[in-house]
Each structure stands twice: as structure tokens, then as C-alpha cells.
Amino acid sequence: MPETVENGLQRLILDTARQLLTTTGYAQLSMRNIAKTIGYSATSIYLYFENKDELVHALIDEGVDLLYERLVEANDSCAVPQDRLLAMCRAYVSFGLERPEYYEIMYVLHPEYIKRYPAEKYRKARKNLELIGAAIEGGRVHGPSADMDSFLAANLVWTQLHGVVTLLSSERVDKRIDPDQLIEGAYQHILRSLGIRDLGISDEVVEKRS
Amino acid sequence: MPETVENGLQRLILDTARQLLTTTGYAQLSMRNIAKTIGYSATSIYLYFENKDELVHALIDEGVDLLYERLVEANDSCAVPQDRLLAMCRAYVSFGLERPEYYEIMYVLHPEYIKRYPAEKYRKARKNLELIGAAIEGGRVHGPSADMDSFLAANLVWTQLHGVVTLLSSERVDKRIDPDQLIEGAYQHILRSLGIRDLGISDEVVEKRS
DNA sequence: TAGAGTAACTTAACAGTGTTAACCTACCTG
DNA sequence: CAGGTAGGTTAACACTGTTAAGTTACTCTA
């Protein structure tokens, strides 16, 4: 039984896994399901991936790249440095809500269910945060957190966005709350706290009073 | 086979489930494990709980109550209204990090793995957010978001805290980031954005510039 | 050309999961 | 004493990830 493309059952497995993940979700992503859809036995997957974790890690890798692309695109679409952070926040939330299956395996799945993402791959994931950190650094004008190091600030932004994405896509947010309002509120929250100029609304100045 | 306490294998099951959850985590919380530790057959659990989801919902209920207690305690421990929000934020994060198993079943578990928390029980969970909303309402002094309705603001605070808790306890935050710094940063983030006076640090005034 | 080796894949099986159907047994009641 | 029922049980189904062993079929070598 040859494969669809030149030399690559591994590729076929990964493609099928991705397709299964994005269409039916992680809960339905089983070794036997993958095998069934490509007409192989479940154990044949183990010839190309050590275990399910490694297979999922490959998908996480893809997700990290996908997110990275979106963040770079958002970054490049802004001429003014001050707009970059907001654009990247939008890109992050869009990714999280539009690709919930990717987001789940990347940032939601409990370490008990899936082994830690390997350290060397972890670096690439960190690049995403550093991109945000750079946008903060570049857009910083004034504000009370001007002294805070930008990597910490990036993580702070990340936690806020992550909270919005996860609570919204798990449908835990009250139905009376308008998702868009919550999302936009989070952006304002972030920009204001970091002392980056607000959009549309008039600029604000934060002064210290003895 | 009588039970340990008056009339209540149901109680015994729930007690065992809680003990198993808090000691070994949700991943090890199986019907057969529960049954084994109390010396009953796994199917006997179904005489008292319709399915595993219902059993877990009962545990979620407990978790919601536990969190509520902590929030009320935090609220009551503050004489000054302006301190309440911070105290409640601390209480929320403490709960999330100290009782990760409870937090997981309450706010992390994907809806695909566990059926939606029933609507009537959901109300109690909302009380927790309303408590935060009240603290915002009460502590509000000035600030750009003074017009924002407090329930939305509470949800915004929630997303921030939730992000901090989940990313920290899933160990996804870079090791170079000090957890306490991240947490405290989130608090400042929140207070500043809501225009509630900052702790320790001198008060801030937000003015509009034409 | 025969034989050995190996690459690629399969079947069978293990230990675990939630859940259902059928059964069994002891007690209480008419 | 007969019957119903409360409170359990065992067996089984359809899954899960994973391992060990077996089966091809092709290739390389003596």
C-alpha cells in the first residue's frame, strides 16, 4: 500500500490528524480514528510517532507557527509603533477563537493528559511572547508601568488575552455579556495599563500626585 | 453492606470522589477507582448519580461554594471599600493555585469532556462574579472605565485572573518570570484600569487632555 | 540462485475508561 | 407464605493508548 504522496505515511498521518482535529476536535482525535480514515492499522502510527503526545506536539508546532504568522502579519500591518500591540492582541484573540482546536492543544490541555511540550520546541512558542514584548517596548510612551520589563508585561498581556479566549470559547461567560464588548474591554484594559495611547478615544495622561 | 454514616452511600461516594480528586487529580478520578476505594462495584455509583458528569457537577458545586466563602471572607476583612477588590482578587488567585483540582473541574475542563454545568447551578457560580462586581462598584473612585457597567468589569477582572491562574498552574509561563511578580502585576493592572486607588504606591489621577 | 536480513505493516492482547442490561438476594408488606 | 422492591452485583459493549509478536515482501549478499 503506497501513500498518496512521495515517501510519506508520516505526512499522511499528520495531515489526517490535523484534519480530524480541526473538524471533530481533540476529543475525537484517537489513534484508531486516524488509522481508520487512512486505511491503516492503529499501530502503524507508532512506526512514525513514538506516541500520541509526539503526534500532538507536531500539531502544536503547527499551531505555534500559525499564531506566529498572524502576529507578524499584525505587526507588519501597522505603520505606527503605538498601534502594534493592539493589532497583535486582535490577532491573538482571533486566532484563539477561530482555531479553538489548535488553541486547546497549545494552551489549554492539562499537563496530566499530555506530556510537556519539549524544551527545544518551547523556544519557538516563546518567540510569540517576545513579539508582543517588542510591541510593548516600541509602543510605550508613558504610564505607570513604564519601568516594568517588557517580557513581564508581555506575559501580563498574555494572561489577559488567554483568559478572554478560554472563558469565551468554553462558553463560561454569562450570556448577558457581549463577547465583543468583553474583548474590546480587554484591549482597552491592556493599553491603558501599559500607557499606550488609546484608540479612537482621546489620549490620556497619567500623572503622579505627590 | 451498610455505609459509614447514617443513610448515605451517596455521601460516601461523594466524599471518596472529593478525596480522590484532591489527592490524585481529575485524571485519576474514575468510577472504578472510586468504587474500589469504598469496596463497592463501579456500577453501584449509578444508583446514586446518573453519570460521571453529575458526580463531577456535585464536586463543582462544592468548589463554587468554597470559592464563594473565600471571596466573602476577603470582602468582610476589608473595612475600606477600596481595598475589597484587591482582597478578592487575592482570594481568587489563592483559591485557583491552592486548589487546582477544584479549579480545573470548575473552569478548565473542556465542555466536550464534561457536560455543561446545569443552568440552575450556574446561578450560584454567577454570584461569585457579582461579588466582584459589587467590589468594583463600591471601590470605584475615578478612572476611564467609570462608565462601564460593573458586571462587565467584573468579567474583565475575571478573565485576567483566570488567565493568570491557568497559565501559572499549567506551568506554561516562562521559568524566568517570577510568579508573584506576574500575579501582583495583574492586580495592579486591574486596579489601575478600573480607577481604584493603588496600594502602597501613591494615588494616581487620570486626566483627559483635549 | 538460495538464503539471510530487514523494512513496513498487521493482529492480538493488555489495562484502562464510561456505561448499560441483566441478574441476584435480602427484606418488607399484603 | 407470595410478591414486590431496594440495593446491590456480574458481564458485557464500545471505546482509549500502547506493546509484543507475527506476517509479509523486498533487497542484499555469499
Side-chain angles (χ1 to χ4, degrees):
Chain A
M1 266 189 212
E3 300 83 30
T4 50
V5 284
E6 30 132 280
N7 181 22
L9 179 50
Q10 172 153 26
R11 191 62 167 253
L12 182 58
I13 291 170
L14 199 58
D15 288 347
T16 310
R18 182 190 319 108
Q19 186 242 338
L20 230 57
L21 173 74
T22 55
T23 56
T24 63
Y26 180 75
Q28 304 300 321
L29 180 65
S30 74
M31 302 304 246
R32 285 179 176 85
N33 274 145
I34 297 171
K36 198 195 303 169
T37 53
I38 59 177
Y40 283 79
S41 74
T43 54
S44 63
I45 300 177
Y46 288 86
L47 300 171
Y48 300 95
F49 296 93
E50 199 187 326
N51 47 36
K52 192 186 177 185
D53 284 341
E54 205 190 59
L55 177 53
V56 174
H57 284 159
L59 293 173
I60 291 178
D61 243 21
E62 292 187 4
V64 171
D65 286 339
L66 245 62
L67 176 55
Y68 185 74
E69 282 174 28
R70 291 211 189 198
L71 291 179
V72 168
E73 192 184 8
N75 187 72
D76 294 350
S77 72
C78 295
V80 188
Q82 283 81 4
D83 295 342
R84 283 185 189 140
L85 181 60
L86 176 61
M88 290 173 79
C89 287
R90 288 192 192 284
Y92 186 97
V93 171
S94 294
F95 174 79
L97 296 179
E98 287 168 14
R99 319 235 44 178
E101 343 78 32
Y102 268 117
Y103 196 88
E104 182 184 2
I105 61 173
M106 290 166 66
Y107 296 129
V108 180
L109 273 192
H110 207 93
E112 280 184 36
Y113 306 111
I114 186 166
K115 284 189 190 70
R116 272 258 64 75
Y117 196 52
E120 79 271 12
K121 297 190 170 185
Y122 181 72
R123 286 189 199 163
K124 211 163 61 179
R126 209 182 50 210
K127 270 177 63 181
N128 287 335
L129 271 180
E130 284 166 356
L131 219 54
I132 295 179
I136 293 172
E137 194 76 45
R140 188 121 62 181
V141 183
H142 45 244
S145 57
D147 52 337
M148 184 187 275
D149 101 273
S150 66
F151 190 58
L152 175 61
N155 276 272
L156 219 45
V157 170
W158 182 33
T159 56
Q160 170 75 75
L161 298 177
H162 176 73
V164 169
V165 168
T166 53
L167 289 177
L168 275 179
S169 77
S170 66
E171 296 178 54
R172 286 187 164 92
V173 177
D174 198 293
K175 286 155 197 68
R176 283 177 281 180
I177 297 287
D178 175 29
D180 287 327
Q181 241 185 324
L182 188 68
I183 294 170
E184 293 297 324
Y187 298 153
Q188 289 180 26
H189 197 160
I190 288 167
L191 296 178
R192 198 152 44 219
S193 177
L194 290 177
I196 294 177
R197 76 123 182 258
D198 219 335
L199 66 161
I201 309 170
S202 60
D203 286 4
E204 288 154 3
V205 173
V206 179
E207 298 180 340
K208 284 209 173 184
R209 190 171 55 181
S210 69
Chain B
M1 267 191 211
E3 301 82 32
T4 49
V5 285
E6 30 133 279
N7 182 23
L9 179 50
Q10 172 151 26
R11 191 64 168 252
L12 182 58
I13 291 170
L14 200 58
D15 287 347
T16 309
R18 182 189 320 109
Q19 187 242 336
L20 230 56
L21 174 73
T22 55
T23 55
T24 63
Y26 179 75
Q28 304 301 320
L29 182 65
S30 76
M31 302 304 245
R32 286 179 175 85
N33 274 147
I34 297 171
K36 197 195 302 170
T37 53
I38 58 177
Y40 282 79
S41 74
T43 54
S44 64
I45 300 176
Y46 289 85
L47 299 172
Y48 299 95
F49 296 93
E50 200 187 325
N51 47 37
K52 192 186 177 184
D53 284 342
E54 205 190 59
L55 177 55
V56 174
H57 284 160
L59 292 174
I60 292 178
D61 243 22
E62 292 186 2
V64 171
D65 286 339
L66 245 61
L67 175 55
Y68 185 75
E69 282 174 28
R70 291 211 190 198
L71 292 178
V72 168
E73 192 184 9
N75 187 71
D76 295 349
S77 71
C78 297
V80 188
Q82 282 82 3
D83 296 342
R84 283 186 189 141
L85 181 60
L86 176 60
M88 289 171 81
C89 287
R90 288 193 192 282
Y92 186 96
V93 171
S94 294
F95 174 81
L97 296 180
E98 289 168 14
R99 319 237 41 180
E101 344 78 32
Y102 268 118
Y103 197 88
E104 181 184 4
I105 61 172
M106 289 167 66
Y107 296 127
V108 179
L109 273 193
H110 207 92
E112 280 185 36
Y113 306 112
I114 186 166
K115 284 192 191 67
R116 273 259 63 75
Y117 195 52
E120 78 270 13
K121 296 189 171 187
Y122 180 72
R123 286 189 199 163
K124 211 162 60 177
R126 209 182 50 212
K127 271 177 62 182
N128 287 335
L129 270 179
E130 284 165 357
L131 219 52
I132 295 178
I136 294 172
E137 195 76 46
R140 187 120 65 181
V141 182
H142 46 244
S145 58
D147 52 335
M148 184 188 274
D149 101 271
S150 65
F151 190 58
L152 176 61
N155 276 272
L156 219 45
V157 170
W158 182 34
T159 56
Q160 170 74 75
L161 298 177
H162 175 73
V164 168
V165 168
T166 52
L167 289 177
L168 275 180
S169 78
S170 67
E171 296 178 54
R172 285 187 165 90
V173 176
D174 198 293
K175 286 154 197 71
R176 283 177 282 179
I177 296 288
D178 174 29
D180 287 327
Q181 241 186 323
L182 188 69
I183 294 170
E184 293 298 324
Y187 298 154
Q188 290 180 25
H189 198 161
I190 289 167
L191 295 178
R192 198 153 43 220
S193 177
L194 290 176
I196 293 177
R197 75 121 183 259
D198 219 335
L199 65 161
I201 308 170
S202 59
D203 286 5
E204 286 154 7
V205 173
V206 178
E207 296 180 340
K208 286 208 171 185
R209 189 173 54 180
S210 67

